[in-house]
Amino acid sequence: MDRILRGIMRYRVLDRASMVKQFEQVKDNPVPKAIFYTCMDSRMIPTRFTETSVGDMFVVRNAGNLVPHSEHFVDEMTSCEPAGLELSCIINDIKHVIVCGHSDCKAMNLLYKLKSPEESNIEQRRISPLKSWLCTHGQTSLDKFLAANQDFSKPMLFTAETPQRKFVAYIDPENKFCIEDKLSQVNTLQQLQNIASYGMLKKRLERHDLHIHALWFDIYTGDIYYFSRRAKQFIIIDESSYDIILAEVRRYYS
Ligand SMILES: [Zn+2]
């Protein structure tokens, strides 16, 4: 708590006045551009690595950057992730939904272990909210990952905005990442289908008025990857790929 209190004291001196000015600027007309789903990992600071600021985007974070499928929204029992979709895409007019996974994700490392029945049985899920969360909402990612049977040379098929808009993905074709990081990439792509499962978004998705993207942050190098449906893989966002990615985003999603 010391660290946080000291931080607040520094913020009062260094940032408070300029932030209040920015709050005033966006007060009557906040135009956030995206909703950004990412992991709650303490190393993930999305506003920092995207250099975004006051009023730019909504951020929702949880263990494993999961967005529960709409089949789990029953009898008014819900979690904050779909509520975030409604707030951003229905009440506000957000056009871009982004899911950002990352390497060395503790939630994904645990999800990988949960493939063993001893780790994921009902007794385990009853005493561990984290295991229960991952077993419930990460199972489709795990199933998809396990179906590949550790052979990632073959393409995987994912669904995006509509059931017809499927895309092919080669996971880690250069084999740079460990098995849990591969699961993290599969999981990130699986969330696109979960997001699109909400009926409230259907019309906008069919009109190509709402777009879903996947990013992946490599904790070890600081590189951020964009999933290119054209390249069928995650590609590093850098000086050499920026224009290509931007062209893809404009062509497919404008
Ligand atoms: Zn994580």
Side-chain angles (χ1 to χ4, degrees):
M1 203 55 204
D2 263 13
R3 168 76 186 83
I4 288 169
L5 290 173
R6 268 187 283 124
I8 292 171
M9 295 309 286
R10 270 175 63 80
Y11 149 80
R12 287 181 64 83
V13 175
L14 297 174
D15 289 329
R16 181 180 160 202
S18 72
M19 278 186 84
V20 168
K21 249 187 220 148
Q22 291 178 55
F23 294 149
E24 281 167 6
Q25 280 165 9
V26 300
K27 189 177 75 172
D28 296 323
N29 189 25
V31 276
K33 304 291 187 297
I35 179 163
F36 198 96
Y37 286 91
T38 193
C39 186
M40 62 192 287
D41 191 295
S42 62
R43 297 164 294 181
M44 295 291 279
I45 309 180
T47 50
R48 193 137 149 213
F49 63 71
T50 58
E51 298 274 347
T52 47
S53 188
V54 171
D56 284 338
M57 62 182 190
F58 294 98
V59 178
V60 180
R61 300 178 64 168
N62 61 36
N65 46 270
L66 297 166
V67 181
H69 191 280
S70 64
E71 70 191 12
H72 297 287
F73 177 38
V74 284
D75 299 333
E76 296 181 33
M77 290 287 285
T78 189
S79 55
C80 77
E81 297 77 17
L85 281 176
E86 183 178 356
L87 180 60
S88 58
C89 304
I90 306 295
I91 297 172
N92 285 271
D93 188 25
I94 293 292
K95 288 198 173 358
H96 297 275
V97 181
I98 300 158
V99 183
C100 181
H102 69 103
S103 58
D104 190 35
C105 178
K106 305 305 180 199
M108 287 302 109
N109 295 353
L110 179 56
L111 180 62
Y112 182 69
K113 285 199 189 112
L114 294 177
K115 66 186 167 53
S116 132
E118 295 86 64
E119 291 284 340
S120 59
N121 60 37
I122 187 71
E123 285 77 25
Q124 287 288 322
R125 299 204 304 272
R126 276 195 182 131
I127 56 168
S128 163
L130 181 57
K131 283 184 180 176
S132 172
W133 164 254
L134 291 170
C135 283
T136 306
H137 301 300
Q139 192 63 49
T140 48
S141 302
L142 186 60
D143 290 346
K144 194 148 199 158
F145 169 85
L146 292 173
N149 206 14
Q150 306 226 2
D151 177 8
F152 293 97
S153 61
K154 293 199 187 89
M156 295 177 90
L157 195 62
F158 291 88
T159 303
E161 286 81 2
T162 64
Q164 293 75 36
R165 286 190 80 186
K166 294 191 189 308
F167 64 91
V168 165
Y170 288 89
I171 300 297
D172 189 18
E174 291 168 35
N175 202 21
K176 289 196 290 191
F177 299 106
C178 67
I179 196 76
E180 290 89 346
D181 288 348
K182 288 179 175 54
L183 171 59
S184 169
Q185 294 193 348
V186 170
N187 175 65
T188 302
L189 295 175
Q190 183 61 32
Q191 303 318 305
L192 274 58
Q193 183 175 350
N194 291 357
I195 289 165
S197 70
Y198 287 88
M200 62 185 173
L201 306 180
K202 192 165 177 262
K203 280 203 178 98
R204 288 197 66 189
L205 290 167
E206 285 173 352
R207 284 200 308 262
H208 294 205
D209 183 37
L210 181 64
H211 313 293
I212 317 176
H213 310 266
L215 294 178
W216 199 74
F217 188 98
D218 182 7
I219 291 278
Y220 302 111
T221 62
D223 282 323
I224 300 161
Y225 292 70
Y226 178 80
F227 185 82
S228 163
R229 296 192 203 179
R230 256 180 119 179
K232 302 182 175 62
Q233 59 184 271
F234 282 100
I235 53 179
I236 293 177
I237 303 169
D238 63 10
E239 292 72 17
S240 66
S241 67
Y242 171 78
D243 288 332
I244 299 165
I245 294 169
L246 198 62
E248 175 173 335
V249 168
R250 286 188 173 151
R251 187 167 151 227
Y252 282 104
Y253 309 119
S254 58

